[in-house]
């Protein structure tokens, strides 16, 4: 677990995040993937699994996950070509609800409580 904080693992995670974000923006036309942000990627130490945290509007969570699952095979293939790692990680998608909570707190603090 402590390996996640090493400079090397941070670089691996950030590289994977940047590549995935770019691929989703450039290579996919699925409307379910248009308004999402890749907030973080956590690549396992052996690089066999990448947990991809994404944010979208709460009412789009189900569509976002369905779109990502639909694109998973092609996305993984393109990611493997782009990264050139010996192992291309299996992709697991998770909604990053922390972004939504931060926005709710910000709105509350501004007095915009809904």
């Amino acid at each position: 677990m402590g390996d996640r904080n090493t400079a090397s693992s941070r670089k691996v995670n950030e590289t994977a995040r940047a590549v995935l974000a770019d691929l989703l923006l450039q290579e996919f036309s699925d409307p379910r993937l248009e308004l999402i942000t890749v907030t973080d990627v956590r690549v396992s130490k052996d690089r066999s699994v990448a947990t991809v945290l994404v944010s979208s509007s709460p009412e789009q969570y189900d569509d976002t996950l369905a779109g990502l699952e639909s694109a998973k095979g092609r996305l993984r293939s393109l990611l493997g070509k782009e990264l050139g790692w010996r192992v291309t990680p299996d992709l697991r998608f998770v909604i990053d609800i922390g972004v939504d909570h931060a926005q709710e707190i910000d709105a509350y603090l501004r007095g915009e409580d809904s």
Side-chain angles (χ1 to χ4, degrees):
M1 200 87 153
D3 289 309
R4 189 180 317 170
N5 294 323
T6 67
S8 175
S9 64
R10 280 193 306 267
K11 183 176 179 183
V12 165
N13 292 340
E14 178 52 28
T15 299
R17 189 207 61 76
V19 170
L20 282 167
D22 188 53
L23 288 172
L24 284 168
L25 185 65
Q26 303 294 328
E27 300 291 332
F28 293 87
S29 59
D30 187 329
R32 298 172 295 183
L33 304 177
E34 286 178 357
L35 296 175
I36 67 170
T37 301
V38 179
T39 59
D40 195 13
V41 175
R42 298 176 186 153
V43 180
S44 63
K45 187 176 179 181
D46 65 359
R47 296 187 183 181
S48 65
V49 176
T51 302
V52 182
L53 282 76
V54 297
S55 69
S56 68
S57 59
E59 58 276 358
Q60 296 296 112
Y61 285 169
D62 291 338
D63 283 347
T64 296
L65 289 176
L68 288 167
E69 285 299 321
S70 174
K72 183 192 275 191
R74 182 162 175 250
L75 187 57
R76 184 172 184 249
S77 175
L78 291 169
L79 178 68
K81 288 177 186 171
E82 206 53 44
L83 292 175
W85 294 347
R86 186 178 54 81
V87 175
T88 300
D90 182 38
L91 301 176
R92 298 186 183 159
F93 302 103
V94 178
I95 297 291
D96 186 352
I97 60 172
V99 172
D100 293 329
H101 289 292
Q103 290 172 344
E104 289 171 11
I105 291 168
D106 184 55
Y108 175 77
L109 292 174
R110 291 176 188 228
E112 300 170 6
D113 192 26
S114 40

